[in-house]
Amino acid sequence: MEKYYMAAMGGAEGFGNKSIAALVKYFGSAKAAWFADAGDILKSGARKNALEIFLAWRKNHPDAPEKLISFCDRQKINLCSIADEDYPPILKEAKDHPVFFYYRGSLEPLAERVGIVGTRNNTPYGQNVALELGEELAAAGLTVVSGAARGIDTFAHRGALKSGRTVAVMGCGINYIFPRENKKLLEEIAERGVVMSEFPPQLKPNQGTFPQRNRIIAGLCRGVIVVEAGEKSGALITSDLALDYNRDVFAIPGQIYAEKSLGCNQLIRAGATLIKNARDVLKEYNIEKAESEEIIKQVELEGLAAKVFEIIPRDNYITEDEILMKLDDINPSELTDIMLELDMKGCVVEEAGRYRKAIRN
């Protein structure tokens, strides 16, 4: 029950983590703080204007903790506070860690995590890199963390789901789906990883929520990879926070004239570790599994699909016309269906009508 009193305090917009922590420390518990006399609350030492916001909120919502318990139960939302055993220890190391957060899924507090972030307006290059990084890092046993936004975040999550776990840290309430097209993706993440947010469940995103969200991504992770980022990309906020938390920062290089790679190239110039693939990250962390075997995902293919997959190269691209020239017992419509099947199974990476293997044996 204690954490629900804490979260109820967080329902007061403008009454943040530091103020909540200050009241809990002063009164000994969140419950005691919730029921404390207004005069005593104002003597607690926290900022006066923040305390007045809380007092007004409590006056208008006296039964907020009880309602929150009922709401979370109906919506199948879990709540984790800083006092709980399943609160990730690495997140506590961040100086501005959340005192509580909502989540769906399985926390696995001791998991080894790596963040993958980048622009919402990615190029095909960034998409392929994010998918491949997510898949290979997850296959090696790392949990991939990102922000569930359009672009690089989405592709990092999708890649990770092909072979392992991923964590989505929302820039809005956990019950507010943003972007809308990621509804199914978030459901899959909750089933096979974690969707989490420190914001009230129904809160819509705004300009301030995303930078606030970024500190949790950085705090949860051993290192953060920036895949594509312009000069003013929000992903650079996450990398700055990672450095502030003494986390590793990795960056994918891009062409010197590519607008979406300017931020990454600047990070590298400033000292971020340049990486080309997941193997570079895993070598950095002495995870030998990925050096000796690069099996991303096992799939079962039969008949013509197996034949087609066999001739698709690993390290460069091939077109459907080139495949047809190599195989005599297949027609164009059959091949189109097979390529769709291979794509759906995560066996190939497609770019502008060309394909290469997404599974390396």
Side-chain angles (χ1 to χ4, degrees):
M1 185 67 182
E2 174 71 8
K3 58 190 172 187
Y4 289 97
Y5 283 102
M6 195 178 293
M9 291 182 192
E13 188 174 351
F15 194 69
N17 284 284
K18 290 183 179 179
S19 299
I20 294 171
L23 278 193
V24 171
K25 182 177 180 180
Y26 185 81
F27 289 103
S29 73
K31 182 177 181 180
W34 182 266
F35 288 109
D37 179 76
D40 292 335
I41 288 174
L42 291 171
K43 295 175 185 175
S44 66
R47 290 185 302 113
K48 184 178 179 182
N49 61 334
L51 293 174
E52 288 174 346
I53 287 171
F54 165 63
L55 289 170
W57 165 259
R58 187 182 67 169
K59 181 179 179 180
N60 292 327
H61 303 85
D63 56 351
E66 292 78 11
K67 284 188 174 181
L68 187 58
I69 292 173
S70 177
F71 177 82
C72 288
D73 184 59
R74 291 196 313 272
Q75 297 292 319
K76 296 181 170 53
I77 298 172
N78 301 302
L79 184 64
C80 180
S81 80
I82 190 71
D84 293 338
E85 291 184 1
D86 53 355
Y87 191 100
I90 191 171
L91 185 56
K92 289 182 182 180
E93 297 172 8
K95 59 187 177 184
D96 50 358
H97 56 258
V99 294
F100 66 87
F101 58 83
Y102 301 91
Y103 72 96
R104 287 190 177 98
S106 175
L107 278 180
E108 295 196 9
L110 300 179
E112 195 96 334
R113 304 178 196 87
V114 174
I116 300 178
V117 297
T119 179
R120 288 175 171 83
N121 302 309
N122 61 279
T123 66
Y125 167 73
Q127 173 181 329
N128 291 337
V129 171
L131 282 167
E132 194 167 280
L133 280 172
E135 191 167 358
E136 294 189 15
L137 292 172
L142 294 170
T143 296
V144 172
V145 181
S146 199
R150 290 187 181 95
I152 296 301
D153 289 15
T154 290
F155 294 114
H157 289 307
R158 286 182 180 172
L161 285 172
K162 292 180 181 180
S163 56
R165 278 177 52 84
T166 186
V167 174
V169 185
M170 303 290 288
C172 54
I174 197 170
N175 261 20
Y176 190 89
I177 305 301
F178 183 84
R180 292 292 179 184
E181 64 265 25
N182 277 357
K183 184 176 187 296
K184 184 177 178 182
L185 175 65
L186 289 166
E187 290 172 354
E188 291 179 20
I189 294 173
E191 289 175 3
R192 298 169 54 190
V194 182
V195 176
M196 59 185 288
S197 171
E198 69 176 319
F199 302 114
Q202 305 287 56
L203 184 76
K204 296 180 180 180
N206 58 59
Q207 276 191 321
T209 58
F210 292 107
Q212 193 171 336
R213 175 276 309 273
N214 291 348
R215 83 188 198 288
I216 299 180
I217 295 175
L220 279 170
C221 297
R222 184 173 177 179
V224 171
I225 304 167
V226 185
V227 174
E228 271 191 324
E231 284 188 288
K232 297 181 179 180
S233 171
L236 301 181
I237 297 174
T238 309
S239 66
D240 287 344
L241 289 163
L243 288 172
D244 193 37
Y245 300 157
N246 198 30
R247 309 295 199 247
D248 300 314
V249 175
F250 305 96
I252 295 289
Q255 294 180 357
I256 59 172
Y257 300 114
E259 181 183 345
K260 295 295 190 296
S261 290
L262 289 176
C264 291
N265 293 341
Q266 288 174 4
L267 282 175
I268 293 166
R269 186 179 182 186
T273 301
L274 184 156
I275 63 166
K276 296 179 292 183
N277 49 44
R279 295 190 300 281
D280 290 344
V281 178
L282 297 166
K283 286 179 183 177
E284 193 77 19
Y285 292 145
N286 295 316
I287 299 177
E288 297 180 359
K289 176 180 178 181
E291 288 189 71
S292 59
E293 53 173 318
E294 300 178 58
I295 301 173
I296 298 175
K297 181 180 179 184
Q298 297 292 342
V299 294
E300 294 182 3
L301 299 173
E302 298 178 350
L304 287 175
K307 285 185 179 182
V308 170
F309 183 71
E310 182 64 28
I311 65 173
I312 295 173
R314 293 182 175 88
D315 300 316
N316 50 59
Y317 287 85
I318 190 171
T319 66
E320 290 190 22
D321 286 341
E322 289 169 330
I323 296 172
L324 287 169
M325 290 174 64
K326 293 174 180 290
L327 293 175
D328 297 327
D329 53 349
I330 188 171
N331 63 53
S333 63
E334 287 177 321
L335 180 58
T336 298
D337 291 341
I338 287 171
M339 297 314 298
L340 179 60
E341 176 191 352
L342 294 177
D343 190 23
M344 294 293 289
K345 288 183 175 180
C347 299
V348 297
V349 172
E350 185 268 340
E351 180 180 346
R354 301 176 303 147
Y355 301 87
R356 67 169 171 80
K357 278 187 173 73
I359 299 176
R360 297 186 175 96
N361 293 314

